[in-house]
Amino acid sequence: MAPYSLHSALLLTGALSNFGVFVIANDNVFSFSVQDFLKQGESKSARCDELKSLITKGCSKAKIENPRGSISIDKDKPVTNRKKDVAEKLKPDQITQIQPQKLSLNLRSGEAQTFKLKFKRAEDYPIDLYYLMDLSFSMKDDLENVKNLGTDLMREMQEITSDFRIGFGSFVEKTVMPYISTTPARLLNPCTSNENCTSPFSYKNVLRLTENGQKFNSLVSKQQISGNLDSPEGGFDAIMQVAVCGDAIGWRNVTRLLVFSTDAGFHFAGDGKLGGIVLPNDGKCHLENNMYTMSHYYSLSSEVILENNKVPDGVSIKYKSICKNGVVGTGENGRKCSNISIGDEVSFDITIESQKCPSKGKSETIRIKPLGFNEDVEIVLNFICECECSKGGEPLSKICHNGNGTFECGACRCNDGRIGRLCECSTDEVRTDDLDGNCRKDNGTDICSNNGDCVCGTCECKKRENPEERYSGKFCECDNFNCDRSNNKLCGGHGRCECRVCICDANYTGSACDCSLDTSTCLAANKQICNGRGTCECGVCKCTNPKFQGPTCEICPTCPGVCAEHKECVQCRAFETGEKKDTCQRDCTYFNLIRVKDRDKLPQPADQSYPLSHCKERDANDCWFYYTYAVRNDTMREVYVVETLECPAGPDIIPIVAGVVAGIVLIGLALLLIWKLLMIIHDRREFAKFEKEKMNAKWDTVRHPVGSHQHSRLSNKNINFYILFTVQISGVAFIKCL
């Protein structure tokens, strides 16, 4: 059978159903060797489980194996502390820049191992530098500067290290059309006008690495320009030859530097087809007399970067850098440190983890090295894939059906051709139809209840993705994960599930072990169970009188006095006033306060499934405040309070003054109108009286002599006399013409 996969975090590889060897996986997996430990229907891989689960199932700690990973340092030569001006000269193989140099890691699947790697750029470390210069015609105006660059480079490097060698080479272009002109005259002198240029070439090793600085300066100063036709140059051909021609260049096993000097671009892969060159570069050295001969056919760091070779399948490496000034890098930045000067020391935390065992559990070797340096760290990986008990197995054991297997780790590892828990069946003799009947419960149609495989007439139950869940029973008809749950916990967290039935712990009962038999939680302050007003069921009081609530039936929200009882606390919590203002945090945190805008927002008894009291209380300022008090779920106390006080309002001066003024004005107008009306009535009466008296008046018609005389005289003038009677009534003149 294939290896069992127990969980994404619990990988159990190699625990074969017909083998008794148990592979160690991650930190949660253990192995043991008790012979009669397995229950009916459980496979051999059930011996590997979590520590708590194994102990619960009856395995003693003395029988549990729990091998751990480890690290051993095999070679730990300290990094070299060396000064340039010291007379002692060390060979390159005597200088150490990386520590440690060799380690052995014992890896358990899922358990990472971390070690520290130290790197220090040694002072006066030997350096080989090769100067590669472009001599195409475009470099003519830069040639003198380039020559000076080479000599300056030689001088500066001698200031850095006393063990310094330098070499020199040059390049132009592939010597075929259309890169250069192949006419005889142009092959001798590719330059136009009167320029005296050297013949074109692809790459030439002018000076092998040497300590002779004068010779280097002399050769650089004698270089002449050559020429080609196209703009890109053949610099990559030259770089390849410098890298692979170690003997011709003279590279040592020290720091190797290549200085590449050019002013033009480079050819891309496939450009050679223009000249009929179709073969890719073979990566080999092709120098004859220090000249590159196969161009017709092929096409100083301040940063430390760690690299590793290919790691085995299932193994991962993580880097964490601790650089200068405490700068920490993780991820891809964990591989490198920048701005590293000579003499600086940095370190890396390297974590290696294996997720599975390689085939046959053989050791693997990986190497980690700083990029551009020749030193590396050798890491030997040993994988913990089996328990120690497998080493003391009993071959041809009588327990394994007359010696048909090896008894190890409490189970049989069957010989080839044998199967079954005790290797009792032969693969050549077993007839599946005959054995399947033994794997059907009550002669049903389901083999092993569809929860396992029939192996040699015995059910081998399937494994679940969750390692804590398992099938069991002769026909795999039982499991430990389909029992009743409470609070989303199997058997309420107070029992274990066996064959789909909860086996409750002490003091618990019920189908989901959610009923506590402990009555201590039901004791009231008076030491009575449920305060004498209810019964204790599953550790919770069930109040017989519905008006009582609370954990021990001591709360009566609707009883008289509830409002007065909580008045001071509501007042200090909601308005920060009252007698308990200073002790509010101590005495008044037993309820949850919710503020509402107005009285309409207060909860109403008809809308609630629990008793609710409406309260109206007055404070010291004769202000009223309204709130409700209720106990929900027998424990949670809630108070809804109107956030504004209802206080008696004081007199409003402006309306009063305005009312008085308006009243005075209205009263004056009313009085004036009444007086006016009375005067009109009086005047009319007087006028009527006057009219009446006028009608009754008798005038004297006897002519007075004087009057007669005057009358005659006035009559002569045709003037009529009118007697006017004027009556003044309340300032209104009535004039009557007689």
Side-chain angles (χ1 to χ4, degrees):
M1 295 177 63
Y4 292 93
S5 177
L6 298 182
H7 193 264
S8 59
L10 180 64
L11 186 63
L12 186 64
T13 58
L16 305 182
S17 62
N18 60 334
F19 281 9
V21 178
F22 301 101
V23 179
I24 296 300
N26 67 5
D27 189 51
N28 296 325
V29 181
F30 303 82
S31 181
F32 48 92
S33 55
V34 180
Q35 180 178 353
D36 56 352
F37 177 80
L38 296 179
K39 295 181 180 180
Q40 181 71 35
E42 288 187 328
S43 63
K44 300 172 187 178
S45 61
R47 293 179 175 273
C48 291
D49 208 335
E50 294 182 346
L51 177 61
K52 181 180 178 181
S53 178
L54 293 179
I55 295 175
T56 302
K57 288 170 23 177
C59 186
S60 65
K61 290 186 177 180
K63 296 295 184 179
I64 296 176
E65 291 191 16
N66 183 19
R68 314 302 303 182
S70 61
I71 297 177
S72 62
I73 300 177
D74 304 324
K75 187 176 180 181
D76 193 27
K77 185 178 179 181
V79 293
T80 302
N81 293 317
R82 173 187 176 190
K83 300 295 183 181
K84 181 176 180 292
D85 53 358
V86 176
E88 178 188 7
K89 297 298 180 183
L90 300 178
K91 296 180 180 179
D93 57 358
Q94 296 176 317
I95 300 175
T96 303
Q97 297 183 111
I98 191 169
Q99 179 188 4
Q101 294 79 41
K102 185 176 181 180
L103 304 94
S104 295
L105 271 63
N106 296 319
L107 296 179
R108 175 176 173 173
S109 295
E111 182 184 48
Q113 298 294 328
T114 301
F115 64 92
K116 187 174 291 293
L117 186 148
K118 185 189 300 182
F119 176 82
K120 181 178 181 180
R121 296 195 63 182
E123 295 189 30
D124 203 26
Y125 189 77
I127 296 177
D128 286 351
L129 186 147
Y130 193 84
Y131 184 48
L132 186 59
M133 185 168 65
D134 181 3
L135 290 183
S136 62
F137 190 77
S138 61
M139 290 285 289
K140 176 184 176 182
D141 53 346
D142 300 318
L143 183 58
E144 293 302 322
N145 291 333
V146 172
K147 291 178 180 179
N148 294 333
L149 175 63
T151 56
D152 293 343
L153 187 60
M154 176 72 185
R155 182 172 57 256
E156 291 295 331
M157 292 302 298
Q158 288 175 340
E159 294 293 327
I160 297 175
T161 176
S162 59
D163 191 357
F164 172 68
R165 298 197 311 169
I166 193 168
F168 174 71
S170 58
F171 68 91
V172 180
E173 181 60 281
K174 294 179 181 292
T175 56
V176 296
M177 283 290 290
Y179 310 112
I180 67 168
S181 175
T182 56
T183 61
R186 291 293 182 227
L187 287 176
L188 293 176
N189 185 1
C191 301
T192 57
S193 67
N194 297 323
E195 291 287 342
N196 186 19
C197 298
T198 187
S199 298
F201 57 91
S202 177
Y203 162 68
K204 178 169 37 176
N205 180 24
V206 180
L207 177 63
R208 178 185 171 89
L209 290 168
T210 179
E211 297 178 355
N212 191 342
Q214 294 297 328
K215 186 175 182 181
F216 172 82
N217 293 339
S218 175
L219 287 174
V220 171
S221 62
K222 293 179 180 179
Q223 296 306 304
Q224 286 183 303
I225 290 296
S226 184
N228 62 319
L229 297 179
D230 62 340
S231 177
E233 316 295 1
F236 277 7
D237 284 341
I239 291 176
M240 174 63 75
Q241 293 303 298
V242 172
V244 299
C245 297
D247 295 335
I249 302 299
W251 292 116
R252 296 179 295 174
N253 194 24
V254 296
T255 299
R256 302 174 181 179
L257 301 179
L258 172 64
V259 178
F260 182 79
S261 176
T262 183
D263 68 338
F266 48 84
H267 284 293
F268 291 91
D271 285 359
K273 293 182 180 179
L274 296 175
I277 302 172
V278 295
L279 295 178
N281 196 294
D282 61 359
K284 297 180 180 179
C285 181
H286 299 285
L287 291 184
E288 294 182 9
N289 296 325
N290 290 322
M291 293 290 291
Y292 180 36
T293 60
M294 300 295 286
S295 64
H296 299 64
Y297 299 93
Y298 305 115
S299 178
L300 185 67
S301 177
S302 64
E303 185 174 61
V304 57
I305 303 176
L306 296 185
E307 61 177 359
N308 56 268
N309 61 345
K310 185 179 179 181
V311 298
D313 186 30
V315 176
S316 61
I317 301 181
K318 295 180 181 179
Y319 294 87
K320 177 183 176 182
S321 59
I322 299 93
C323 306
K324 291 173 62 177
N325 302 321
V327 177
V328 177
T330 57
E332 284 301 314
N333 292 328
R335 290 176 172 265
K336 63 183 179 180
C337 283
S338 302
N339 301 320
I340 305 301
S341 303
I342 293 177
D344 289 342
E345 181 177 302
V346 297
S347 62
F348 298 85
D349 289 339
I350 301 176
T351 301
I352 300 180
E353 182 178 357
S354 174
Q355 295 296 337
K356 65 179 182 179
C357 287
S359 59
K360 300 181 181 180
K362 63 180 181 179
S363 299
E364 300 282 354
T365 300
I366 60 175
R367 294 182 181 273
I368 298 176
K369 60 175 295 185
L371 185 64
F373 294 83
N374 294 314
E375 299 177 62
D376 60 17
V377 179
E378 180 183 354
I379 305 172
V380 180
L381 305 180
N382 302 310
F383 300 92
I384 303 175
C385 296
E386 294 185 354
C387 296
E388 290 295 323
C389 61
S390 63
K391 298 179 180 179
E394 179 187 353
L396 306 178
S397 174
K398 294 182 180 180
I399 300 176
C400 302
H401 198 267
N402 299 324
N404 286 321
T406 300
F407 185 75
E408 57 184 35
C409 297
C412 288
R413 180 202 294 265
C414 297
N415 297 335
D416 293 340
R418 305 295 298 187
I419 58 175
R421 183 185 297 275
L422 299 177
C423 311
E424 66 272 23
C425 294
S426 170
T427 55
D428 298 330
E429 299 174 357
V430 169
R431 291 181 57 190
T432 305
D433 295 339
D434 296 338
L435 298 176
D436 283 352
N438 296 326
C439 298
R440 293 187 175 95
K441 183 180 180 180
D442 300 330
N443 294 324
T445 58
D446 295 336
I447 296 178
C448 299
S449 305
N450 284 332
N451 295 324
D453 300 313
C454 188
V455 179
C456 197
T458 303
C459 284
E460 294 282 348
C461 299
K462 297 178 181 178
K463 301 301 294 184
R464 299 271 298 175
E465 182 179 357
N466 186 344
E468 296 183 356
E469 298 178 356
R470 59 184 66 87
Y471 294 105
S472 61
K474 181 179 179 180
F475 303 101
C476 302
E477 74 278 10
C478 296
D479 62 63
N480 67 341
F481 54 87
N482 274 322
C483 292
D484 291 342
R485 294 175 179 265
S486 177
N487 293 328
N488 202 28
K489 293 181 179 179
L490 191 67
C491 297
H494 302 299
R496 65 184 186 277
C497 181
E498 292 187 2
C499 202
R500 303 184 180 182
V501 176
C502 284
I503 307 299
C504 299
D505 298 338
N507 292 329
Y508 284 93
T509 187
S511 62
C513 300
D514 54 350
C515 183
S516 174
L517 300 178
D518 184 12
T519 60
S520 61
T521 57
C522 297
L523 289 178
N526 57 8
K527 303 303 180 181
Q528 291 184 350
I529 293 179
C530 300
N531 208 19
R533 298 171 179 145
T535 59
C536 186
E537 298 179 8
C538 299
V540 178
C541 283
K542 300 296 183 181
C543 303
T544 54
N545 191 333
K547 72 178 182 178
F548 288 97
Q549 297 180 0
T552 56
C553 303
E554 79 283 5
I555 301 173
C556 182
T558 59
C559 293
V562 170
C563 295
E565 178 184 355
H566 305 290
K567 168 188 173 182
E568 297 295 337
C569 281
V570 173
Q571 188 177 356
C572 79
R573 288 276 303 274
F575 308 106
E576 298 181 358
T577 60
E579 296 180 2
K580 292 188 177 181
K581 178 177 65 174
D582 298 330
T583 61
C584 198
Q585 291 297 324
R586 184 189 67 191
D587 301 335
C588 300
T589 58
Y590 59 87
F591 59 82
N592 184 26
L593 183 71
I594 301 120
R595 292 179 172 85
V596 296
K597 294 292 185 181
D598 50 54
R599 294 167 61 182
D600 294 337
K601 298 297 190 299
L602 291 174
Q604 301 301 317
D607 300 332
Q608 310 300 328
S609 59
Y610 46 86
L612 180 73
S613 295
H614 272 263
C615 300
K616 175 183 179 182
E617 296 294 333
R618 189 190 335 231
D619 63 10
N621 298 322
D622 288 335
C623 294
W624 294 95
F625 58 94
Y626 299 85
Y627 66 93
T628 62
Y629 181 84
V631 180
R632 298 184 60 182
N633 301 327
D634 295 337
T635 56
M636 186 171 64
R637 306 183 186 190
E638 286 186 346
V639 171
Y640 284 79
V641 61
V642 179
E643 62 184 11
T644 56
L645 294 169
E646 190 175 288
C647 300
D652 195 344
I653 302 300
I654 295 177
I656 293 175
V657 173
V660 172
V661 173
I664 294 173
V665 172
L666 291 176
I667 292 173
L669 290 176
L671 292 175
L672 182 61
L673 290 175
I674 293 172
W675 176 80
K676 183 66 174 178
L677 180 60
L678 294 174
M679 292 304 296
I680 292 174
I681 295 172
H682 176 71
D683 289 344
R684 287 184 177 179
R685 287 179 177 176
E686 290 294 329
F687 184 74
K689 183 179 180 182
F690 167 74
E691 287 289 337
K692 184 177 180 180
E693 291 178 352
K694 183 187 71 171
M695 295 296 298
N696 295 328
K698 293 181 179 180
W699 298 93
D700 188 4
T701 57
V702 180
R703 299 189 180 187
H704 195 278
V706 178
S708 176
H709 173 72
Q710 290 179 346
H711 178 71
S712 299
R713 188 174 49 180
L714 292 173
S715 297
N716 294 334
K717 294 184 178 180
N718 295 321
I719 296 176
N720 294 323
F721 280 86
Y722 295 89
I723 300 174
L724 298 178
F725 291 91
T726 303
V727 180
Q728 186 74 24
I729 302 176
S730 301
V732 180
F734 292 88
I735 301 174
K736 181 66 174 176
C737 182
L738 300 179

